[in-house]
Amino acid sequence: MYDGLKGFRDFYPGEQSARREVTDAIEGAASRHGFREIATPALERTEMYVDKSGEEIVEELYAFDDKGGRGVSMTPELTPTVARMVVAKGQELSKPIKWMSTRPFWRYEQVQQGRFREFYQTNIDVFGSSAPEADAEVLAVAADALTDLGLTGDDFEFRVSHRDILGGLVRSLAADPDAVDTAAAIRAVDKRAKVDDAEYVGLLSDAGLARDTARDFDDLISDVETVADLDAVAEAGDESVEAAVENLRNVLAAADDFGAGEFCEVSLTTARGLDYYTGVVFECFDSTGEVSRSVFGGGRYDDLIESFGGQPTPAVGVAPGHATLKLLCQRAGVWPDEELSTDYYVLSVGDTRSEAAALASDLRALGDDVVVEQDISGRSFGAQLGYADSINAETVVVVGERDLENGEYTVKDMESGDETTVPVEEFPPEDGLPTYEDYV
Amino acid sequence: MYDGLKGFRDFYPGEQSARREVTDAIEGAASRHGFREIATPALERTEMYVDKSGEEIVEELYAFDDKGGRGVSMTPELTPTVARMVVAKGQELSKPIKWMSTRPFWRYEQVQQGRFREFYQTNIDVFGSSAPEADAEVLAVAADALTDLGLTGDDFEFRVSHRDILGGLVRSLAADPDAVDTAAAIRAVDKRAKVDDAEYVGLLSDAGLARDTARDFDDLISDVETVADLDAVAEAGDESVEAAVENLRNVLAAADDFGAGEFCEVSLTTARGLDYYTGVVFECFDSTGEVSRSVFGGGRYDDLIESFGGQPTPAVGVAPGHATLKLLCQRAGVWPDEELSTDYYVLSVGDTRSEAAALASDLRALGDDVVVEQDISGRSFGAQLGYADSINAETVVVVGERDLENGEYTVKDMESGDETTVPVEEFPPEDGLPTYEDYV
């Protein structure tokens, strides 16, 4: 007997049917907005990740040399791969490019609740538009996906921030702007809720802010709770801060028009950890706080395509992670039932296999989603009925020798156990999915 | 600029939409027969493959040591993983277990037409039934999938064979049955069409058949073209051959009842290469021979679960590979169009973003599959129309300031260029997907 690997999961049909429903909801929302599915490799050259994130990234990669001596890694995220794909096709692709895909990624890290070594995400990205409507569309798709799952504005919120407000403000406040490590300051803000106050101020200080100034900076960003509060921030910063505030306002106004405004809050203490983000960034949180971590996040990464050797191409995206989303859905009571569903079990008794199989085939033809099972184990009446129950069959159609002599099937409702006979020529009808109720 | 890895493919939206259609057809056929989706890890312990296939398998695996020192491999096939999953849950799972899933697998091998290092398969398996109806259901699902794709009996055939007929016949004919390497003899049959006659006879001879006997054996199996021809084989063999002939007949009779019989041919020169097959095996071929390789195959593997430490559990499955299936679909002219489709582009002119976005949202609510795009790049009328054309929008709805003052939208058919105005309150209607034709 073999074990699976730690941090890797087997999904059996019950759980998988719930996961499929959630994936379909997310992909459906993106698809209705015109995001097109792509498919991408599981392996890339390790150097692509090292160039982008530094040698230390290798520590958390499934990295190895292939049989041809190439340094390769199992993809830890999608963004570098899609950046490579955008660069490869360059001008051939009409803009904006709107792509989505769902697949696993891999990171060698500590396994904990909602975090695995193999984890699934749906990536949703726009390339080629710097307009606030692009950011808003990404927020709208995320909001549509969550509301399609049954979540409401009482369940989740998008905390929206802007990296250039944070970076510009740090440089505006610093005694020596040239000595500021903007990226380090933003990483400090990202860690704000995860470390204690002294460590946080220390991180800001390491990034080039005097301790008093760090305190002022934190007061400024943490005081912002509404769009109106952004005035004070714009006044305290330089022109870059003013422009970023204007951009954030425009994104939020577009999000209002696109139907996502009600889920958005301004939150400058939100920063996102990854260095490649450039403009608006956001994170989705459980409004009740019961799921304490960010459920997922997204934002702008306008410089990445150029750094990959492509034409300057603005970009914005979001990547719902399925494991944390499951925690939110479970907390809100909207995680789908983890069970099988079956429309019909066609039960053959006696020498009726041919007739039963033909009926099963006719029932399957009633719809793309209809599920019809029949005996493939040579079982007795009772054993077949037990199996039909185990797969939650809604209706059992008994095809017995005597029934057939009378030109009838027996249609049985598995919830109540009630049954009736139906003339063979009336079953199934030309359209609709017939149940016991239709014949009494 | 980075390159992808050789043998790994990027799928852009046009090609991916065709692949999605094909995957949905295969999964849909399996789902309608009650096969339930599972999801499985990309990495397993390397020893699982070595134990099953010997040390030489490592040569074609993406095998490496993870950061915890475990010998791991990117999964080259699904069967060992599902066997592990069946063993892990044991008696908990009600039988028959019917599972399916679509995902990539990885093998380090020579890249050629229809063969890649990362390749996609849909695996469809039944565990827990040794009845001929289980084999027949697997054949029926494969046939339904192919006919749903638009293929017909003129396009493909299932060449059905039986390992116990081949193995039993070899032992019955051999001067010393105990000296026969049955698995090697079956591997020789599998290579029959790929090597020259001398090499083929040499392989049978290595397996323990004298050269003359090898010739007799080959005459016997190659003479079989119909079910009736199996009589001669049953007579030439021992009781195990007789039983296997009986089983093959029963499977073909069940396949007739299940609607797959018309696609099946008896072909004892079909053997399948993998050692774990035990009973009925089959391969799907292009009937015209233009695609010269087997498109995909399947069969029984009744001993695998027990060899993985589980209770004896008969099993039968099929795994359509998407790359070779594409070759067959292209040859038959039924590969789906590789292009985008879009139902509506809502074109906003002037200060109408809010109204246009609300209309786009209403249109999206008309159906799960409806695709609606709008401007997210701040573009002019002409540039928006060009983009709408590039995404193959069927209908453009123009939301202009003047139109709105008149309480109207302009509805434009993108095929003909014809347009008309429609009162705002009549668009969209309560059901159906409105087009230009509905308003003239």
Side-chain angles (χ1 to χ4, degrees):
Chain A
M1 177 154 170
Y2 299 96
D3 289 329
L5 292 163
K6 187 177 169 190
F8 288 72
R9 291 164 292 167
D10 300 325
F11 297 102
Y12 289 81
E15 184 174 8
Q16 179 59 17
S17 77
R19 295 179 75 236
R20 169 59 53 194
E21 209 173 313
V22 169
T23 302
D24 285 349
I26 302 170
E27 292 189 344
S31 174
R32 282 194 295 281
H33 281 262
F35 286 80
R36 316 292 171 162
E37 191 182 31
I38 59 167
T40 53
L43 278 186
E44 297 273 6
R45 287 173 194 279
T46 302
E47 63 173 311
M48 189 166 83
Y49 302 107
V50 171
D51 289 354
K52 171 168 159 284
S53 311
E55 209 35 80
E56 64 278 13
I57 185 77
V58 176
E59 278 315 298
E60 60 184 65
L61 294 179
Y62 283 91
F64 60 101
D65 287 338
D66 77 7
K67 310 240 184 270
R70 301 169 196 89
V72 297
S73 291
M74 294 176 74
T75 52
E77 56 164 328
L78 190 66
T79 308
T81 295
V82 288
R84 179 179 62 64
M85 287 173 66
V86 168
V87 172
K89 289 273 183 186
Q91 298 309 104
E92 268 181 69
L93 300 163
S94 81
K95 312 287 182 315
I97 299 161
K98 297 164 72 177
W99 285 349
M100 62 112 164
S101 60
T102 302
R103 26 157 306 193
F105 297 93
W106 303 274
R107 277 178 203 263
Y108 194 82
E109 59 184 352
Q110 280 308 110
V111 177
Q112 49 180 278
Q113 198 197 25
R115 182 169 295 178
F116 302 92
R117 289 179 176 166
E118 177 171 69
F119 57 96
Y120 293 75
Q121 286 183 349
T122 301
N123 281 262
I124 297 160
D125 293 282
V126 178
F127 300 92
S129 171
S130 58
E133 286 84 359
D135 308 64
E137 176 137 275
V138 164
L139 286 162
V141 168
D144 280 4
L146 298 186
T147 54
D148 287 352
L149 286 169
L151 296 163
T152 71
D154 292 337
D155 294 316
F156 71 91
E157 62 200 34
F158 296 147
R159 299 186 188 161
V160 187
S161 182
H162 200 296
R163 305 270 285 211
D164 293 343
I165 296 179
L166 298 174
L169 210 50
V170 167
R171 284 190 305 273
S172 301
L173 297 176
D176 179 2
D178 293 338
V180 169
D181 180 343
T182 311
I186 290 174
R187 278 196 299 270
V189 174
D190 182 56
K191 294 221 171 93
R192 187 177 183 275
K194 297 160 205 155
V195 299
D196 67 24
D197 188 66
E199 187 174 348
Y200 169 55
V201 173
L203 287 169
L204 285 173
S205 159
D206 293 346
L209 280 189
R211 282 170 181 275
D212 282 358
T213 318
R215 185 62 62 205
D216 293 344
F217 167 73
D218 189 64
D219 286 347
L220 262 172
I221 63 171
S222 57
D223 278 354
V224 174
E225 291 183 343
T226 68
V227 175
D229 295 339
L230 288 168
D231 288 342
V233 172
E235 274 163 34
D238 61 12
E239 280 176 14
S240 77
V241 175
E242 238 173 289
V245 165
E246 174 74 10
N247 178 247
L248 177 54
R249 286 200 163 113
N250 288 338
V251 167
L252 291 167
D256 272 339
D257 282 350
F258 286 11
E262 61 179 302
F263 308 105
C264 293
E265 292 186 7
V266 181
S267 164
L268 296 185
T269 55
T270 295
R272 301 289 287 156
L274 291 167
D275 282 352
Y276 58 64
Y277 284 110
T278 54
V280 162
V281 290
F282 63 93
E283 293 196 331
C284 172
F285 274 88
D286 178 356
S287 299
T288 70
E290 229 176 279
V291 179
S292 57
R293 293 167 36 201
S294 159
V295 179
F296 61 81
R300 276 218 165 259
Y301 50 102
D302 285 347
D303 300 336
L304 188 68
I305 302 292
E306 195 175 358
S307 79
F308 268 53
Q311 295 294 313
T313 305
V316 58
V318 63
H322 295 209
T324 44
L325 183 55
K326 178 175 180 177
L327 298 178
L328 174 62
C329 288
Q330 285 179 318
R331 194 280 298 150
V334 301
W335 183 251
D337 285 342
E338 297 192 348
E339 51 184 42
L340 306 186
S341 73
T342 306
D343 298 293
Y344 302 98
Y345 183 88
V346 179
L347 196 161
S348 166
V349 205
D351 187 17
T352 67
R353 186 179 72 190
S354 171
E355 291 82 359
L359 174 61
S361 182
D362 288 347
L363 288 167
R364 278 180 199 116
L366 294 178
D368 279 351
D369 295 331
V370 65
V371 174
V372 185
E373 292 208 39
Q374 62 196 321
D375 180 41
I376 57 170
S377 305
R379 278 179 171 155
S380 70
F381 179 90
Q384 287 188 61
L385 216 53
Y387 176 74
D389 182 57
S390 80
I391 58 172
N392 299 319
E394 189 180 343
T395 302
V396 167
V397 187
V398 182
V399 183
E401 288 186 18
R402 205 164 348 152
D403 280 344
L404 283 186
E405 277 166 27
N406 298 334
E408 294 175 338
Y409 301 130
T410 298
V411 174
K412 188 178 184 68
D413 180 71
M414 287 295 278
E415 176 77 31
S416 65
D418 296 338
E419 62 180 46
T420 185
T421 55
V422 178
V424 163
E425 62 274 15
E426 289 178 24
F427 193 89
E430 296 213 354
D431 48 11
L433 295 183
T435 64
Y436 166 78
E437 295 298 334
D438 297 330
Y439 297 94
V440 287
Chain B
M1 176 154 170
Y2 300 95
D3 289 328
L5 292 164
K6 187 178 167 190
F8 289 73
R9 292 163 292 166
D10 300 325
F11 297 102
Y12 289 82
E15 185 175 5
Q16 178 60 17
S17 76
R19 294 179 76 237
R20 169 59 53 195
E21 211 173 310
V22 169
T23 303
D24 285 349
I26 303 170
E27 293 188 343
S31 173
R32 282 193 295 282
H33 281 261
F35 286 80
R36 317 292 172 164
E37 191 182 32
I38 58 167
T40 52
L43 278 187
E44 296 274 8
R45 287 174 194 278
T46 302
E47 63 173 311
M48 189 164 83
Y49 303 107
V50 171
D51 289 354
K52 172 169 158 283
S53 309
E55 202 44 73
E56 64 279 12
I57 186 76
V58 176
E59 277 315 298
E60 58 184 65
L61 294 178
Y62 282 90
F64 60 101
D65 288 339
D66 78 5
K67 310 245 185 267
R70 301 170 195 89
V72 295
S73 291
M74 294 176 74
T75 53
E77 57 164 328
L78 190 66
T79 306
T81 296
V82 288
R84 178 179 61 66
M85 287 172 67
V86 168
V87 172
K89 290 272 181 187
Q91 297 309 103
E92 268 182 69
L93 300 164
S94 81
K95 310 288 181 313
I97 300 161
K98 297 165 70 178
W99 285 349
M100 62 111 168
S101 61
T102 303
R103 19 157 313 192
F105 298 93
W106 302 274
R107 276 178 203 262
Y108 193 83
E109 60 184 352
Q110 279 309 109
V111 177
Q112 49 178 279
Q113 198 197 22
R115 183 169 296 177
F116 301 93
R117 289 179 176 168
E118 178 171 67
F119 56 96
Y120 293 75
Q121 285 182 350
T122 301
N123 281 262
I124 297 160
D125 293 282
V126 179
F127 300 92
S129 170
S130 58
E133 287 85 359
D135 308 65
E137 176 139 275
V138 164
L139 286 162
V141 168
D144 280 4
L146 298 187
T147 55
D148 287 352
L149 286 169
L151 296 163
T152 71
D154 292 336
D155 294 316
F156 70 91
E157 62 201 34
F158 297 148
R159 299 187 189 160
V160 186
S161 183
H162 201 295
R163 303 271 284 213
D164 293 343
I165 297 179
L166 297 174
L169 212 48
V170 168
R171 284 190 305 273
S172 303
L173 297 176
D176 179 2
D178 292 339
V180 169
D181 181 343
T182 312
I186 290 174
R187 278 196 301 272
V189 176
D190 183 55
K191 293 221 172 92
R192 186 176 184 276
K194 296 160 203 154
V195 299
D196 66 25
D197 188 67
E199 187 175 347
Y200 169 55
V201 174
L203 288 168
L204 286 173
S205 159
D206 293 348
L209 279 190
R211 284 174 181 270
D212 282 356
T213 318
R215 185 61 63 204
D216 293 342
F217 168 73
D218 189 63
D219 287 346
L220 262 173
I221 63 172
S222 59
D223 278 352
V224 174
E225 291 182 346
T226 67
V227 175
D229 297 337
L230 289 168
D231 288 342
V233 172
E235 277 163 34
D238 60 12
E239 278 176 18
S240 77
V241 174
E242 237 173 291
V245 164
E246 175 74 10
N247 178 246
L248 177 55
R249 285 203 164 110
N250 289 338
V251 167
L252 291 168
D256 271 339
D257 281 351
F258 285 12
E262 60 178 304
F263 309 107
C264 294
E265 293 185 5
V266 181
S267 165
L268 295 185
T269 55
T270 296
R272 302 288 288 158
L274 292 167
D275 283 350
Y276 57 65
Y277 285 110
T278 54
V280 162
V281 291
F282 63 93
E283 294 197 332
C284 172
F285 274 88
D286 178 356
S287 299
T288 70
E290 228 176 281
V291 179
S292 56
R293 292 167 37 203
S294 160
V295 179
F296 60 82
R300 279 223 162 253
Y301 50 103
D302 284 348
D303 300 336
L304 189 68
I305 302 293
E306 194 175 0
S307 79
F308 268 52
Q311 294 296 313
T313 306
V316 56
V318 62
H322 294 208
T324 43
L325 184 54
K326 178 176 179 176
L327 298 179
L328 174 62
C329 288
Q330 286 180 319
R331 195 279 300 150
V334 302
W335 183 249
D337 286 341
E338 296 192 348
E339 52 185 40
L340 305 186
S341 73
T342 307
D343 298 294
Y344 301 98
Y345 183 89
V346 178
L347 196 160
S348 165
V349 205
D351 187 16
T352 67
R353 185 178 72 190
S354 170
E355 292 82 358
L359 174 60
S361 182
D362 288 347
L363 288 167
R364 276 180 201 117
L366 294 179
D368 278 351
D369 294 330
V370 65
V371 175
V372 185
E373 293 209 39
Q374 62 196 320
D375 181 41
I376 57 167
S377 304
R379 278 178 171 155
S380 70
F381 178 89
Q384 287 187 62
L385 216 52
Y387 176 74
D389 182 57
S390 79
I391 58 172
N392 300 319
E394 188 181 344
T395 303
V396 168
V397 187
V398 182
V399 182
E401 289 186 16
R402 205 161 349 145
D403 279 344
L404 284 186
E405 278 165 26
N406 297 335
E408 295 175 339
Y409 301 131
T410 297
V411 174
K412 189 178 183 68
D413 180 72
M414 287 295 278
E415 176 77 30
S416 64
D418 296 339
E419 61 179 47
T420 187
T421 54
V422 177
V424 163
E425 62 274 15
E426 291 178 22
F427 193 89
E430 295 212 356
D431 49 11
L433 295 183
T435 65
Y436 166 79
E437 295 299 332
D438 297 329
Y439 297 95
V440 287

